[in-house]
């Protein structure tokens, strides 16, 4: 079996990589990424429903379960990527995405240092904690930036395809 190493040097490269790793474009999801020592190699990639991680009652338990899996994978650090329709930083947005990030960070506080949280919306991507409108404007940077990454190009060249949703991953087209 041949192994191809793809270098991920910036957040947008990782954000472009995750749908290929999952096989589909996540929607209303939280994706936890294990970063293993010594150089932050991407390990386990685990997806849960955003509503489950953000749930007031069960969210902390879901977060602890995710963190336990990352710990078992040998994670030194972690990244959490939230896939949601709208920028959760905007005034009046439901607290689900922010609650999900808070639950995950609380669960990770003891063993994983400084969890970065990224958000991919229907139109853009942004760092959840970024208040600099030059870096992370309202609504985020354009989503098309994720389509023109070196990682994305390498994966497409290698034959990787991404389904539009999770249901399409197992869908078998009807034969003629």
């Amino acid at each position: 079996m041949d192994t191809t190493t793809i270098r991920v040097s910036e957040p947008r490269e990782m954000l472009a990589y995750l749908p290929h790793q999952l096989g589909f474009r996540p929607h209303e999801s939280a994706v936890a990424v294990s970063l293993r020592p010594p150089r932050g190699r991407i390990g386990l990639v685990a997806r849960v429903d955003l509503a489950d991680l953000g749930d007031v009652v069960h969210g902390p338990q879901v977060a602890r379960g995710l963190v336990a899996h990352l710990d078992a994978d040998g994670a030194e650090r972690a990244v959490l990527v939230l896939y949601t329709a709208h920028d959760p930083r905007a005034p009046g947005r439901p607290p689900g995405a922010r609650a999900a990030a808070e639950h995950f960070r609380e669960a990770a506080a003891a063993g994983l240092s400084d969890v970065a949280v990224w958000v991919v919306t229907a139109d853009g991507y942004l760092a959840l904690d970024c208040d600099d409108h030059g870096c992370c404007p309202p609504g985020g940077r354009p989503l098309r930036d994720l389509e023109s990454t070196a990682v994305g190009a390498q994966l497409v060249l290698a034959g990787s395809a991404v389904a539009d949703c999770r249901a399409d991953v197992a869908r078998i087209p009807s034969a003629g």
Side-chain angles (χ1 to χ4, degrees):
M1 179 171 122
D2 291 337
T3 301
T4 302
T5 300
I6 297 174
R7 305 237 182 263
V8 176
S9 59
E10 57 183 282
R12 74 183 191 106
E13 297 280 350
M14 186 185 59
L15 296 176
Y17 169 75
L18 292 177
H20 287 274
Q21 179 66 22
L22 294 169
F24 62 94
R25 286 180 185 80
H27 300 280
E28 298 305 318
S29 298
V31 177
V33 181
S34 165
L35 299 176
R36 298 176 185 159
R39 294 183 310 267
R41 183 172 290 219
I42 293 175
L44 177 70
V45 174
R47 190 213 69 86
V48 297
D49 288 342
L50 186 58
D52 291 340
L53 185 57
D55 184 76
V56 175
V57 175
H58 301 291
Q61 181 179 356
V62 172
R64 287 190 299 273
L66 277 173
V67 169
H69 286 296
L70 297 180
D71 185 51
D73 187 55
E76 178 179 71
R77 294 180 296 132
V79 174
L80 182 67
V81 182
L82 307 176
Y83 292 86
T84 187
H86 305 286
D87 183 345
R89 302 170 308 166
R93 289 285 170 219
R98 286 196 175 271
E102 185 176 311
H103 294 283
F104 188 82
R105 282 179 166 159
E106 286 174 4
L112 302 172
S113 61
D114 210 19
V115 175
V117 179
W118 286 86
V119 179
V120 178
T121 70
D123 303 314
Y125 69 98
L126 53 106
L128 182 64
D129 302 321
C130 184
D131 293 326
D132 179 355
H133 289 276
C135 173
C136 295
R141 292 180 173 269
L143 205 51
R144 69 181 173 274
D145 288 358
L146 302 182
E147 297 168 4
S148 60
T149 64
V151 167
Q154 285 179 313
L155 290 167
V156 169
L157 184 63
S160 177
V162 178
D164 283 330
C165 66
R166 188 171 59 166
D168 288 347
V169 171
R171 187 162 304 181
I172 300 171
S174 299

